[in-house]
């Protein structure tokens, strides 16, 4: 038993990354459904609870990855890359949960079209993150490495799109919104939603580094 513990182990890091990526996509889709059904209080609460559930599941996976790092002698990729990637992925779901809570805390009564546009871009970013992460176990295959880079480039483009939508939304908000309290609420929400795509871009940058070093 003692000598067995000393044997090299690679762990199941890629499987855990994939599970976490699944939670990111699920959380993002639930968040978008909450926005789309915001006027229905029962559905809003249902989908908000699903975002919380995905975030808690992701926290569990993140803790498992960090624990496995301490117990694993040989890792499939650099230890710092594993630590950085799982924590960057966790930041995405944390922001989705924060955005869900902010809507409730600020007592937001209506969902403007620009919030829906930013929500849609967030979902698409999160789905690309899941796809890119799913490719990590097969980076030795040139086509897989190319597909991972392409997914990262798509995330970068979606982040730029979200940035443009936010700037346009801010401009419209300051020109047209006369209620100062509503302006403050929506400004914070726009910034928070745009940050989701920023965190996805952080994940994409880390994955690009992993691809370049391991393909």
């Amino acid at each position: 038993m003692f000598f067995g513990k000393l044997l090299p182990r690679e762990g199941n890091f890629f499987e855990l990354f994939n599970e976490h990526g699944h939670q990111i996509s699920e959380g993002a889709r639930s968040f978008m459904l909450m926005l789309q059904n915001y006027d229905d209080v029962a559905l809003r609460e249902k989908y908000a609870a699903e975002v919380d559930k995905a975030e808690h599941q992701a926290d569990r996976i993140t803790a498992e990855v960090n624990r496995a790092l301490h117990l694993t002698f040989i890792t499939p990729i650099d230890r710092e890359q594993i630590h950085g990637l799982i924590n960057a992925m966790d930041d995405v779901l944390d922001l989705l949960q924060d955005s869900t809570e902010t809507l409730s805390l600020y007592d937001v009564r209506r969902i403007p079209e620009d919030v829906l546009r930013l929500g849609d871009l967030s979902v698409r970013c999160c789905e690309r993150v899941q796809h890119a992460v799913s490719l990590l176990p097969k980076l030795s295959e040139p086509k897989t490495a190319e597909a991972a880079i392409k997914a990262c480039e798509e995330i970068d483009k979606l982040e730029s799109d979200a940035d443009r939508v936010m700037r346009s939304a801010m401009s419209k908000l300051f020109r047209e919104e006369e209620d100062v309290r509503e302006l403050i609420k929506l400004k914070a929400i726009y910034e928070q939603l745009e940050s989701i795509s920023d965190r996805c871009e952080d994940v994409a940058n880390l994955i690009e580094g992993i691809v370049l070093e391991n393909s």
Side-chain angles (χ1 to χ4, degrees):
M1 178 67 73
F2 175 76
F3 288 109
K5 290 180 180 179
L6 295 180
L7 291 174
R9 296 168 54 202
E10 286 203 2
N12 59 337
F13 293 106
F14 291 138
E15 181 181 328
L16 291 170
F17 285 149
N18 210 33
E19 287 179 22
H20 198 297
H22 174 73
Q23 296 303 327
I24 288 174
S25 280
E26 287 295 300
R29 284 191 281 266
S30 294
F31 180 74
M32 189 63 192
L33 285 167
M34 182 193 68
L35 295 180
Q36 292 169 334
N37 295 278
Y38 201 77
D39 291 339
D40 185 322
V41 175
L43 282 177
R44 184 200 311 174
E45 291 177 353
K46 173 181 181 289
Y47 292 124
E50 289 181 4
V51 174
D52 283 344
K53 181 180 177 183
E55 195 276 336
H56 293 320
Q57 287 285 89
D59 276 349
R60 178 189 60 76
I61 296 165
T62 299
E64 190 172 343
V65 168
N66 287 318
R67 184 166 55 248
L69 272 174
H70 293 291
L71 301 172
T72 306
F73 182 66
I74 297 173
T75 55
I77 57 176
D78 184 84
R79 304 177 81 86
E80 289 186 6
Q81 291 175 326
I82 292 172
H83 183 265
L85 181 56
I86 196 64
N87 285 294
M89 291 172 68
D90 212 44
D91 287 344
V92 175
L93 256 173
D94 285 345
L95 262 178
L96 283 164
Q97 186 187 47
D98 289 347
S99 298
T100 302
E101 291 178 352
T102 298
L103 289 166
S104 176
L105 290 171
Y106 285 12
D107 192 28
V108 172
R109 302 294 178 88
R110 64 183 177 87
I111 299 296
E113 188 64 30
D114 286 322
V115 168
L116 292 173
R117 292 172 67 194
L118 286 167
D120 178 62
L121 288 166
S122 297
V123 173
R124 290 160 65 190
C125 272
C126 289
E127 288 175 343
R128 300 322 290 158
V129 163
Q130 180 187 15
H131 177 62
V133 166
S134 74
L135 300 173
L136 290 176
K138 297 182 179 179
L139 289 182
S140 58
E141 301 173 4
K143 287 186 178 180
T144 303
E146 288 173 14
I149 292 292
K150 182 182 177 184
C152 292
E153 289 171 348
E154 289 168 351
I155 292 167
D156 290 342
K157 183 180 182 303
L158 288 166
E159 189 280 331
S160 296
D161 291 344
D163 197 38
R164 281 192 292 273
V165 169
M166 189 193 73
R167 286 199 301 269
S168 172
M170 288 289 197
S171 176
K172 181 180 177 184
L173 183 65
F174 279 92
R175 285 197 317 269
E176 300 179 5
E177 184 57 64
E178 296 179 357
D179 185 330
V180 175
R181 288 180 301 177
E182 197 70 14
L183 186 149
I184 292 169
K185 291 179 186 180
L186 290 174
K187 178 178 181 294
I189 289 162
Y190 289 153
E191 289 173 341
Q192 205 162 38
L193 287 175
E194 198 277 330
S195 293
I196 295 170
S197 60
D198 286 342
R199 298 291 78 78
C200 287
E201 187 178 38
D202 291 342
V203 173
N205 290 338
L206 287 165
I207 290 174
E208 283 181 343
I210 292 169
V211 172
L212 292 173
E213 289 186 27
N214 296 276
S215 59

